[in-house]
Amino acid sequence: MSQWAQAFGALGAVVMAAFGGANWRFPFLERYRMAGLGLGMLTWVLGRFDAPAGGPPGWYETAGSCAMVIAGGAGLVRSSQRHRGKSDDSGDEGGRDDDGPLNAAEGDALVRHYFKWDSTASLDSAVDKYRAAVRATAGTPARLRHEAQLLKTLRIRYERLRDRACLDEAVRLGRRARPDPGPRSHRALLLAELSTALRLRHDDTGDSDDLTEARECGGAAVALLHPRHLLFPLCSSRLGSVLLSSYEHTGDPRHLDDALNHLRRGLDSAAERGYTRTADEIRLCFLLTERGRRAGSRDDLAEAVELGRRVLDRIAPGDALYPSCLHHVSVAVRAAHAEAEAERGPGRWPPADRPYRTYRITGPGPGLEWAENLAREALLRLADEDPEQARHLLNHALVLHALHRARPAPGLLDQALAAARTAARHPTADLPTRVRAGLAWGDIAAAENRHPEAVDAFECVIELLPRLASHELARADQEEQIARWPGVAVAAATSALKAGQPDRAAVLLEHGRGMLLSRTLALRTDATAMRVAHPRLAAELEETRRELTAPVRDSDPEVRRRTRRAQEERWEQLLGRINGLPGFGDFAGPPTAERLRAQGAHGPLIYLTATGRGSGAIVVTAEDIRAVPLDVTPEDVERRVRVLHSCFAPGAIHRADAQGPAFGVLGWMWDELVAPALSVALPPVAPGGPLPRVWWVPTGMFTALPLHAAGHHREGGPALLDRAVSSYTPTVRALAAARSQSGATVPGGSRLVVSVPSAPNAPALLSAAEEAELVRAAAPGATTLLTDAAATRDRVLAELPRHSWAHFACHAAPDPRAPSRSGLLLQDHARGALTVADVSALDLRGSRLAYLSACETAAVGPRHVDEAIHLASAFQLAGFSHVISTLWQLPDRAAFRLAQAMYTEFSEAGQDGGEVAGVVHAVNRLGRDTMFPKLPGVWAAPVHVGP
């Protein structure tokens, strides 16, 4: 036997052993196992033909036998792993374990048929087949794999039909199967599918718990697998999608970086096996575009365009992924072109202060023309009812508008507006995409001075926003959903003013602000007229209202979600029926222009708005609604707010030498904001006569300004304190509700006084006990004093319904990210503060006054300025007609002296609290003139909220 033959045969034995014994740690060997095994055996056998008559050397046969033993043993191990745990009685409901693979194979075929022919009937049948496969393999490792296939098919069905029940079922099944034992690969696949279902449900509803669980499941799936495992690219891709949703939810760029890293790892793992994952390459193109656009990175954008170009060159036009690839390459080209133009040009559009704007409009060039061709071709390949069409339409609208701005041509603008309009009204698209499309539609129309159409667009968005904050979400998630889309109502009002429609501007400010506040007020709408005209419908309304406001007792979170969703749907359907009745068209709805003017009969209501496209005051009186242009910008307002925050900070508010800039801001407020509005709102006042009332309805950053303190106080010039008595209200609807409080449900003169001088882990309030005694001594009737250990959350909640007047002397803790968790720090606040959510849930209609002698009880974080979610609004929502609160932190002793002055004024004005606004105004003036003339941060801090 020649040396060449021996070497040839030895090589065959090595190849046979290597391919026969390989597992997932050696992707190439595993992928081509049968071919390598056959080639090795053939080579080893052919080498023997060169053997002499005595046969080959002894080692030759031994080598071949060992290789065969290795290959055969490895095959037995793999087979035992696949079938480990099977038993004769494994199937339930009459199924057999060998029916599982058959049903799963039929399900696979049906899914392929769906993707080829877009047959939803095939998809439904596939779901049934996978359910049968799961039943037939109960108790076996294969069950996890079939569960994962079922979850995947339910997810595909949701993406096609937008049926939330599919996602809910996928989540329920995935959670139930998650603890089951099984091979690591099957567990990883199940976790990846569960993670995807949770991520999609978060994208649909905004539930942050779903997103947290999705990240946990996705990370666990990847951790179970070696980077060379066959399933690693899939699991890594799914985790990348979850991290992208996390980035969109939080705005944290680290999530975007992590998403890119996981997606690249998955693609690298697939490349080692010799194949590509086109869907992941398309997703990588999108992620690079997103990071490049957000960070201004031309390198990322260039890579995105080049990657998309390569995928387009490789993918067949008939491929199901082809339209998606066209779309994402178009987006990448548009973003890259925009970045290049921004570096050369004088700025960017839209203004950077609009965080929900996700595009830029730039100059001409072949890049935009190519982007438009790609976008148009992608649209031609999608059915009209496809949910993805809205995203494609939005991109096409932006490209068309960019081309119009670069080189106007007939029809381009109309096409852009039509595309954005269609996307915003698409019946099957997800809500966030429709909102983005509506904003683009409004921005394009406003930029081209088509303001009536811009108003229609923004009004469409305002109608969609409450649906994003469903009752099935936790309160913090509802707030987060609304906070993601700031300034829509103000943008709508600005366009309405430019269109010469001040009435519509005021109505839009009511519809688009304080949405969560308005929804709670709608649930408490007086149904007396309904009970008289339609008693059965009124009874049904009352029952539905009780269900929607009562907690769902079931411990299963999925049951609670479904219950709350069903209750919300029933409420909306019921309101639709009521609004269709004669005389009840606006029942439980936001105020109309007529109802706004009716509230203006008590004194003018003044909205203040500021945007990059214009600013103004809208004055509502009993006679009409008028607009007053203001010569300020959002940047002007933010700059003055920062100055006040600096002057009124805890270390500076008591220092007279630090208040100079604050006096300057108060003077600027008079000159630029208050005086122009008052010139239309109020007639001249006779000297010595009673001062008129005025209600301020600030929007945006105006909510952080002490408008009631506007004036040239240091110079002795004009000031609002000398011109009118000011009050605040978050919305006119809230003011109307406070005015309508009647039929007191609590004793008229009883007072609750809560004093917490030394809350755990909080600075001592040395004057709190003295303040409590002051209030109790000033009370004409019964008083309940809760202090020290008695001042607990549960005790206060129990006592509030028994008193018409409540006074709190304690610390407050605002939460800018979740304002409903802002609260008063009572003695047991370590277990939980008395929060905005706690107070808002109370029904205390008939209560008179809540005096919140605590810091920042009328302040709200910058992300929720138009929702007015703070302690002052919570007490008013609960039923207190009047609330006295503070805009910022006050020194302990100063708060006591202000309270002392307040109760002195109350004793002179009467004890029923009917002149609360006048009392607060008198104390503001007293503080300015005698008590704290050099400290505007002290005397301007107290404000009145209410009628």
Side-chain angles (χ1 to χ4, degrees):
M1 188 175 187
S2 67
Q3 291 183 348
W4 280 107
Q6 293 182 46
F8 197 58
L11 177 61
V14 171
V15 170
M16 188 173 15
F19 280 90
N23 65 5
W24 53 268
R25 295 180 183 274
F26 304 94
F28 178 81
L29 301 181
E30 182 191 21
R31 183 179 178 87
Y32 299 102
R33 177 185 296 115
M34 296 307 297
L37 186 61
L39 178 63
M41 183 173 291
L42 180 62
T43 303
W44 181 80
V45 171
L46 288 176
R48 296 182 79 255
F49 287 130
D50 190 51
W59 66 264
Y60 193 89
E61 294 290 349
T62 302
S65 299
C66 289
M68 293 179 192
V69 168
I70 292 172
L76 288 173
V77 170
R78 285 192 295 270
S79 178
S80 67
Q81 288 175 341
R82 282 196 298 270
H83 298 286
R84 183 172 47 217
K86 282 194 173 184
S87 60
D88 292 338
D89 58 347
S90 60
D92 59 352
E93 299 183 20
R96 303 190 314 273
D97 56 3
D98 53 352
D99 289 340
L102 178 61
N103 284 315
E106 292 178 0
D108 293 343
L110 287 164
V111 170
R112 288 194 296 270
H113 186 268
Y114 157 75
F115 279 116
K116 185 174 182 179
W117 302 107
D118 193 27
S119 169
T120 55
S122 296
L123 203 55
D124 295 340
S125 298
V127 170
D128 293 337
K129 289 296 182 182
Y130 287 130
R131 286 194 179 117
V134 170
R135 290 194 298 268
T137 53
T140 72
R143 179 184 179 114
L144 284 179
R145 184 174 72 252
H146 299 327
E147 289 270 19
Q149 291 170 315
L150 175 56
L151 265 61
K152 175 183 176 181
T153 311
L154 288 168
R155 183 255 303 170
I156 294 170
R157 192 176 188 278
Y158 161 76
E159 291 175 332
R160 178 64 179 83
L161 302 176
R162 296 296 172 186
D163 184 356
R164 272 282 308 283
C166 293
L167 282 185
D168 291 341
E169 182 180 1
V171 170
R172 177 176 57 82
L173 294 174
R175 284 172 172 168
R176 185 184 66 187
R178 183 178 176 182
D180 293 348
R184 294 165 68 91
S185 59
H186 294 181
R187 289 163 53 205
L189 187 59
L190 178 79
L191 286 169
E193 293 298 344
L194 175 58
S195 172
T196 300
L198 287 162
R199 187 260 304 174
L200 287 171
R201 194 166 73 173
H202 159 79
D203 291 346
D204 185 68
T205 66
D207 191 319
S208 59
D209 290 340
D210 279 349
L211 187 58
T212 301
E213 187 178 356
R215 280 199 304 270
E216 178 188 339
C217 292
V222 171
L224 282 170
L225 301 174
H226 190 279
R228 293 179 180 176
H229 194 282
L230 183 64
L231 291 176
F232 183 83
L234 170 68
C235 294
S236 192
S237 170
R238 299 293 174 82
L239 179 56
S241 297
V242 172
L243 290 167
L244 173 61
S245 290
S246 298
Y247 161 71
E248 292 174 342
H249 182 69
T250 65
D252 187 344
R254 291 174 297 182
H255 288 309
L256 184 57
D257 292 338
D258 289 344
L260 275 162
N261 291 336
H262 280 286
L263 199 56
R264 290 188 192 275
R265 288 182 66 199
L267 287 169
D268 291 343
S269 176
E272 289 182 13
R273 294 176 170 276
Y275 69 95
T276 58
R277 291 177 56 86
T278 303
D280 286 349
E281 289 181 322
I282 296 172
R283 190 173 293 109
L284 179 61
C285 173
F286 170 72
L287 290 178
L288 287 167
T289 302
E290 183 67 13
R291 189 170 72 175
R293 187 181 62 79
R294 292 287 184 180
S297 170
R298 295 189 63 181
D299 291 340
D300 279 342
L301 293 170
E303 184 182 355
V305 172
E306 182 57 32
L307 174 62
R309 191 195 304 269
R310 289 200 307 269
V311 176
L312 269 182
D313 291 342
R314 187 181 70 242
I315 193 172
D319 193 295
L321 293 172
Y322 192 66
S324 178
C325 188
L326 289 168
H327 167 71
H328 284 100
V329 177
S330 173
V331 173
V333 172
R334 175 168 58 84
H337 187 80
E339 190 61 37
E341 289 296 315
E343 290 184 4
R344 290 195 295 267
R348 298 176 179 177
W349 187 93
D353 66 332
R354 307 305 294 272
Y356 53 77
R357 309 307 191 213
T358 58
Y359 49 83
R360 298 175 188 153
I361 305 299
T362 58
L368 283 178
E369 294 172 359
W370 184 36
E372 196 277 328
N373 289 334
L374 293 170
R376 182 161 27 85
E377 186 178 356
L379 276 170
L380 292 174
R381 295 175 180 275
L382 287 179
D384 288 344
E385 67 274 12
D386 193 316
E388 288 300 307
Q389 190 192 56
R391 297 178 191 271
H392 294 216
L393 283 167
L394 172 57
N395 176 59
H396 196 212
L398 299 174
V399 176
L400 288 168
H401 187 217
L403 287 170
H404 166 77
R405 289 173 65 85
R407 189 169 48 251
L412 277 180
L413 179 59
D414 290 335
Q415 291 177 47
L417 289 169
R421 186 187 311 117
T422 304
R425 294 173 173 170
H426 199 282
T428 63
D430 60 280
L431 285 176
T433 297
R434 292 181 61 188
V435 169
R436 290 188 185 96
L439 294 173
W441 174 23
D443 278 343
I444 292 171
E448 302 301 330
N449 294 318
R450 296 194 179 188
H451 295 292
E453 182 163 2
V455 175
D456 291 341
F458 291 127
E459 191 169 34
C460 176
V461 174
I462 289 171
E463 290 173 357
L464 292 173
L465 287 180
R467 294 170 56 186
L468 289 169
S470 169
H471 279 92
E472 69 180 280
L473 296 177
R475 178 57 186 248
D477 285 338
Q478 294 179 30
E479 294 166 5
E480 180 62 29
Q481 284 293 91
I482 297 298
R484 289 180 63 191
W485 315 97
V488 180
V490 178
T494 300
S495 290
L497 292 176
K498 288 184 175 292
Q501 302 172 354
D503 288 32
R504 195 173 182 187
V507 169
L508 287 169
L509 287 174
E510 286 294 309
H511 286 213
R513 297 170 54 258
M515 291 186 177
L516 300 180
L517 178 69
S518 295
R519 187 162 66 186
T520 303
L521 289 172
L523 288 170
R524 298 178 180 178
T525 302
D526 184 10
T528 302
M530 175 64 60
R531 283 191 287 270
V532 173
H534 305 278
R536 290 186 179 179
L537 202 57
E540 186 179 354
L541 177 76
E542 198 61 36
E543 179 188 357
T544 306
R545 179 158 42 193
R546 281 196 302 270
E547 290 177 350
L548 196 53
T549 54
V552 180
R553 300 298 182 185
D554 199 289
S555 59
D556 186 344
E558 293 303 310
V559 173
R560 290 200 300 268
R561 291 175 70 116
R562 290 196 300 271
T563 301
R564 200 55 101 193
R565 194 185 315 149
Q567 292 169 345
E568 186 172 28
E569 290 173 357
R570 183 183 175 192
W571 171 260
E572 294 297 334
Q573 292 169 1
L574 191 56
L575 281 186
R577 289 162 55 194
I578 293 173
N579 293 151
L581 297 172
F584 292 92
D586 59 354
F587 179 83
T592 61
E594 291 76 17
R595 288 164 63 187
L596 289 178
R597 288 196 293 271
Q599 293 301 318
H602 302 274
L605 315 167
I606 303 177
Y607 297 89
L608 294 178
T609 67
T611 72
R613 295 194 179 108
S615 303
I618 302 173
V619 179
V620 180
T621 63
E623 292 76 26
D624 58 13
I625 300 177
R626 287 179 285 176
V628 180
L630 298 178
D631 188 20
V632 299
T633 66
E635 293 75 21
D636 293 335
V637 180
E638 290 178 16
R639 192 159 50 247
R640 268 65 181 199
V641 169
R642 287 195 297 270
V643 170
L644 290 183
H645 283 174
S646 174
C647 293
F648 300 162
I653 190 171
H654 62 282
R655 289 173 39 219
D657 61 326
Q659 304 307 304
F663 279 108
V665 172
L666 299 181
W668 172 85
M669 287 163 49
W670 172 264
D671 295 336
E672 302 296 338
L673 308 177
V674 173
L678 291 186
S679 66
V680 172
L682 292 176
V685 178
L691 296 179
R693 295 288 307 279
V694 62
W695 279 265
W696 296 98
V697 195
T699 71
M701 290 304 293
F702 285 121
T703 57
L705 292 176
L707 297 168
H708 64 287
H712 294 275
H713 305 284
R714 192 163 50 180
E715 304 88 350
L720 181 57
L721 287 176
D722 304 318
R723 183 74 172 82
V725 176
S726 295
S727 296
Y728 293 84
T729 184
T731 64
V732 175
R733 184 175 189 172
L735 178 63
R739 284 173 172 164
S740 68
Q741 301 294 342
S742 61
T745 59
V746 293
S750 62
R751 298 189 184 186
L752 172 67
V753 182
V754 181
S755 171
V756 188
S758 56
N761 302 317
L765 294 174
L766 302 180
S767 300
E770 189 177 358
E771 185 172 328
E773 289 300 325
L774 163 73
V775 179
R776 185 164 64 171
T783 301
T784 300
L785 174 62
L786 300 180
T787 187
D788 297 324
T792 63
R793 175 180 174 274
D794 290 344
R795 180 72 187 280
V796 170
L797 288 173
E799 291 289 345
L800 276 171
R802 304 189 183 106
H803 302 81
S804 66
W805 190 308
H807 183 104
F808 290 85
C810 58
H811 283 293
D815 189 333
R817 289 203 60 84
S820 64
R821 291 200 289 259
S822 301
L824 298 170
L825 301 187
L826 304 180
Q827 198 65 35
D828 61 343
H829 73 87
R831 294 199 302 269
L834 180 65
T835 65
V836 167
D838 293 331
V839 177
S840 299
L842 299 174
D843 188 353
L844 306 176
R845 281 173 286 184
S847 299
R848 175 60 71 183
L849 169 65
Y851 189 140
L852 307 180
S853 184
C855 298
E856 299 178 283
T857 49
V860 68
R863 299 184 70 248
H864 300 85
V865 287
D866 281 332
E867 282 304 294
I869 305 171
H870 45 60
L871 284 161
S873 64
F875 274 91
Q876 189 174 65
L877 185 62
F880 284 91
S881 298
H882 302 272
V883 181
I884 300 175
S885 56
T886 56
L887 289 172
W888 46 76
Q889 294 186 40
L890 275 175
D892 177 33
R893 196 61 189 171
F896 167 75
R897 291 188 60 190
L898 289 171
Q900 192 176 40
M902 291 281 185
Y903 282 94
T904 300
E905 291 292 331
F906 275 128
S907 65
E908 297 175 359
Q911 296 294 338
D912 64 352
E915 298 296 330
V916 179
V919 167
V920 177
H921 176 263
V923 172
N924 288 146
R925 292 184 67 173
L926 185 64
R928 179 196 64 176
D929 296 339
T930 60
M931 294 173 62
F932 309 104
K934 297 181 179 180
L935 300 176
V938 174
W939 59 258
V943 296
H944 172 251
V945 179

